[in-house]
Amino acid sequence: MQIRTASVPVAEIFDLRWSVLRPGLPAEAAVYPEDSDPGVFHMAAYDGDAVAACATFFPDPVPGEEDLTAYRFRGMASAPEARGRGFGAAVLRAGIEEAARRGAERVWCNGRVSASGFYERMGFTTDGATFEIVPSGPHHRFVLKTAAG
């Protein structure tokens, strides 16, 4: 199955980000300071006309590798009914490709330890020790060398 992906305005992905990542919290809890910065892009993967997965990518060097061009992503979410169907992988692949087109040598995130298997299947490696992000729980830094790197 070919999954349609696109770079979209933040408004297109916001409801999914909010409902999955900040349930029960005010909408402001799902607004990221980087959302409208220059160089930021938001990716969506679609199941028909509905956004099934999303992620936001922004220029940010990997800590300790400040000499390399990198994009960090956050706000990655998949609709519950879309999980396990390839939408998260599709949105992440599309974002990695776009970041590489923009010159990124690395793509990285602070991801939940529970998602380690997903990131490893996508080619990411862990970088550093486990750390806690409240209220989300234990995280790792995951880093991927892009085709541009």
Side-chain angles (χ1 to χ4, degrees):
M1 168 176 82
Q2 178 79 0
I3 296 174
R4 180 172 64 95
T5 59
S7 180
V8 298
V10 68
E12 180 87 6
I13 64 164
F14 188 80
D15 287 345
L16 179 63
R17 182 202 285 176
W18 178 28
S19 68
V20 170
L21 300 178
R22 302 292 186 264
L25 296 176
E28 299 79 39
V31 174
Y32 299 150
E34 306 87 8
D35 277 338
S36 58
D37 286 355
V40 172
F41 62 95
H42 310 277
M43 296 301 299
Y46 294 90
D47 186 5
D49 291 332
V51 176
C54 65
T56 295
F57 292 76
F58 55 98
D60 191 20
V62 178
E65 296 186 14
E66 287 79 8
D67 56 326
L68 299 175
T69 302
Y71 267 77
R72 178 180 171 191
F73 65 95
R74 65 184 298 197
M76 186 167 175
S78 294
E81 64 277 8
R83 292 187 187 140
R85 296 175 49 210
F87 292 98
V91 81
L92 185 53
R93 270 194 298 275
I96 291 165
E97 290 169 6
E98 179 61 24
R101 277 194 292 277
R102 294 174 181 223
E105 299 166 272
R106 302 285 185 274
V107 172
W108 69 283
C109 73
N110 291 326
R112 294 177 184 181
V113 169
S114 61
S116 293
F118 171 77
Y119 290 118
E120 289 165 0
R121 284 190 301 278
M122 295 295 296
F124 286 79
T125 57
T126 57
D127 178 29
T130 302
F131 56 94
E132 188 81 17
I133 295 180
V134 177
S136 303
H139 281 64
H140 284 298
R141 179 179 307 127
F142 295 95
V143 180
L144 175 76
K145 182 177 179 180
T146 70

